[in-house]
Amino acid sequence: PVNDKLFIDLKNNTNIQVTVYNLAGELMNTTFVETDKSIDVSALAKGNYIVHITTDQGEASKVFIKL
């Protein structure tokens, strides 16, 4: 579960695009992270979301819960 910040733990990746969707597939946020490797999700309402991460080495999606 996530409160205000969603932390991304990826090794050896400097160009990371993070896209957040609600479960209906609506785009909520897109951002690029480099050094901080976290995104602010405090503005999102409580619920379940999908985070889609794209790097130079590939992409992956995961569900997270915003508290």
Side-chain angles (χ1 to χ4, degrees), residues 1 5 11 17 20-21 23 29 32 34 36 42 47:
K5 288 210 177 238
K11 308 285 188 253
Q17 180 183 2
V20 177
Y21 299 94
L23 292 184
N29 186 3
F32 287 90
E34 292 183 16
D36 188 13
S42 61

Side-chain angles (χ1 to χ4, degrees), residues 1-64:
V2 176
N3 283 318
D4 295 328
K5 288 210 177 238
L6 175 65
F7 293 94
I8 314 288
D9 186 17
L10 296 174
K11 308 285 188 253
N12 302 323
N13 285 292
T14 56
N15 187 20
I16 302 167
Q17 180 183 2
V18 180
T19 308
V20 177
Y21 299 94
N22 65 16
L23 292 184
E26 297 172 310
L27 177 65
M28 307 307 304
N29 186 3
T30 297
T31 188
F32 287 90
V33 293
E34 292 183 16
T35 56
D36 188 13
K37 295 197 177 171
S38 69
I39 61 168
D40 182 8
V41 294
S42 61
L44 295 177
K46 293 179 181 180
N48 295 326
Y49 294 89
I50 300 166
V51 60
H52 184 80
I53 300 169
T54 305
T55 70
D56 297 336
Q57 298 177 351
E59 52 188 87
S61 296
K62 297 284 182 181
V63 174
F64 72 93

